[in-house]
Amino acid sequence: EDLEKELREVIEVIKKKDCEDYERLGNIALKVSKSFAIAGPLLSGIAAVGSSFVGNGSLAALVPLMAGSLASAVNAFEHGGQVGMVFEMYRNCGGFFTLLEETIRDTLEEKDIEKRENGEVFEMKVAMKLGRSVSELRRLASKSVSCGMEGMVVDEFASKLF
């Protein structure tokens, strides 16, 4: 029963802190990626159209120059910064934590004790998947119970994940 309570606490920490953070950061990365994907070709198009008016005055030469420069900067940030890959990384990590949560929940809700995985081995697997030792996992669960999932414990755990 203690092990079940401990793993349920781990689920709560993962759900309340990690999944929310990765979803939020993934959405930000997606918005940035969409903005760059629209801005790059738009600025390139403005530069191409503006270049046909270069001989008509000094301001007409400045618009394509600025639009072309901005287009190359946007494309450099988009591709060099690999914004799409950052989005995929956040989405992948969020999916990992959701899968881990479902795995723990399914194991704990198994009614037939003979089919249920050995608790200590399962606890070790969860700790290894999170990149932590079993003692750190236990310490997290005990602190989250004693503090009622307040910020310090959750932030400490999240900072140790990465």
Side-chain angles (χ1 to χ4, degrees):
E1 289 184 20
D2 291 338
L3 184 59
E4 285 184 18
K5 288 179 186 176
E6 178 183 315
L7 289 174
R8 289 190 196 282
E9 287 301 319
V10 169
I11 288 175
E12 290 303 314
V13 170
I14 289 172
K15 190 180 350 178
K16 288 186 178 182
K17 181 66 177 171
D18 297 319
C19 290
E20 288 176 6
D21 282 349
Y22 281 110
E23 184 176 327
R24 180 181 54 84
L25 292 171
N27 287 336
I28 290 170
L30 181 61
K31 288 176 185 176
V32 169
S33 180
K34 283 181 180 179
S35 299
F36 282 162
I38 292 170
L42 181 66
L43 289 168
S44 295
I46 290 171
V49 170
S51 66
S52 64
F53 299 111
V54 168
N56 294 342
S58 62
L59 183 61
L62 187 63
V63 171
L65 175 71
M66 293 301 294
S69 299
L70 286 173
S72 92
V74 166
N75 286 330
F77 281 126
E78 180 181 11
H79 297 292
Q82 298 185 359
V83 178
M85 186 180 285
V86 171
F87 163 70
E88 289 296 327
M89 179 199 65
Y90 284 131
R91 195 177 87 174
N92 185 19
C93 289
F96 167 75
F97 286 123
T98 303
L99 178 65
L100 184 63
E101 177 187 339
E102 289 172 3
T103 303
I104 293 171
R105 184 168 284 120
D106 289 344
T107 301
L108 294 177
E109 291 175 355
E110 179 64 46
K111 299 297 180 197
D112 188 8
I113 296 178
E114 296 297 321
K115 289 183 180 178
R116 194 184 269 193
E117 189 170 355
N118 182 329
E120 293 175 0
V121 174
F122 183 70
E123 181 183 32
M124 188 179 298
K125 282 183 182 180
V126 170
M128 288 176 64
K129 285 181 181 178
L130 292 173
R132 298 290 149 217
S133 67
V134 175
S135 62
E136 287 176 328
L137 198 65
R138 288 180 182 155
R139 189 168 50 103
L140 162 76
S142 65
K143 281 187 176 182
S144 69
V145 169
S146 65
C147 293
M149 291 293 299
E150 293 303 319
M152 186 183 86
V153 175
V154 175
D155 289 340
E156 177 186 341
F157 179 68
S159 68
K160 286 191 172 199
L161 279 178
F162 304 101

